[in-house]
Amino acid sequence: MRFDYSHHLFPPGLVLPAFVRGLGTDDVVEVEAKVDTGADLTVIPDSARGQLKLKPCGYMLCRGAFDDEPQRVPTYFIELSLDGTTYTKLEVLARPRATLLLGRDLLNNFILHANGPEEYFEISES
């Protein structure tokens, strides 16, 4: 998959379209997915969680983006589609944000090549 850098970010960054679906439902939400190699886990926008009426599947202690102290936050199972490929039963967090963050839990399955000077990136399954 090859994508141009998004100029909605400053500096321009790695963003691609994604489709989020709750398990066992036909409802789908389209979101922008930001490649974030610094994120341990994939995070969906809280608005997508609400639209899909996702129910927590578990809880996780998280810190960093949330606070310096670990916080117990709910996790959710989703299906995530990127460029026609669907990843099922992906456990994610939901936070109040505009974009989905593709974290290393999913990115570690890919080969990522970012060409900053030419402002494009390629992502392919390993």
Side-chain angles (χ1 to χ4, degrees):
M1 301 179 273
R2 181 181 167 143
F3 301 94
D4 291 330
Y5 275 30
S6 171
H7 287 269
H8 293 121
L9 302 174
F10 182 80
L14 289 62
V15 176
L16 62 149
F19 298 89
V20 179
R21 178 191 315 263
L23 295 184
T25 175
D26 291 331
D27 297 333
V28 176
V29 174
E30 183 175 3
V31 296
E32 286 191 327
K34 181 179 177 182
V35 174
D36 187 348
T37 60
D40 295 337
L41 299 171
T42 297
V43 180
I44 63 170
D46 201 45
S47 59
R49 182 208 49 82
Q51 285 178 272
L52 296 170
K53 300 178 180 72
L54 298 178
K55 303 291 184 212
C57 65
Y59 291 87
M60 186 175 293
L61 282 178
C62 296
R63 68 175 189 171
F66 305 106
D67 200 342
D68 286 338
E69 293 298 318
Q71 292 184 15
R72 186 174 182 254
V73 296
T75 60
Y76 306 89
F77 283 131
I78 63 162
E79 289 183 0
L80 180 65
S81 295
L82 301 171
D83 200 44
T85 302
T86 300
Y87 305 90
T88 59
K89 208 167 183 183
L90 183 63
E91 190 173 8
V92 300
L93 305 175
R95 300 304 294 169
R97 50 175 302 104
T99 60
L100 181 147
L101 291 182
L102 287 177
R104 289 189 318 278
D105 59 328
L106 187 61
L107 291 174
N108 283 346
N109 296 302
F110 295 97
I111 298 168
L112 177 65
H113 173 80
N115 186 327
E118 297 292 323
E119 293 190 343
Y120 73 87
F121 68 99
E122 295 174 312
I123 185 169
S124 59
E125 293 185 76
S126 58

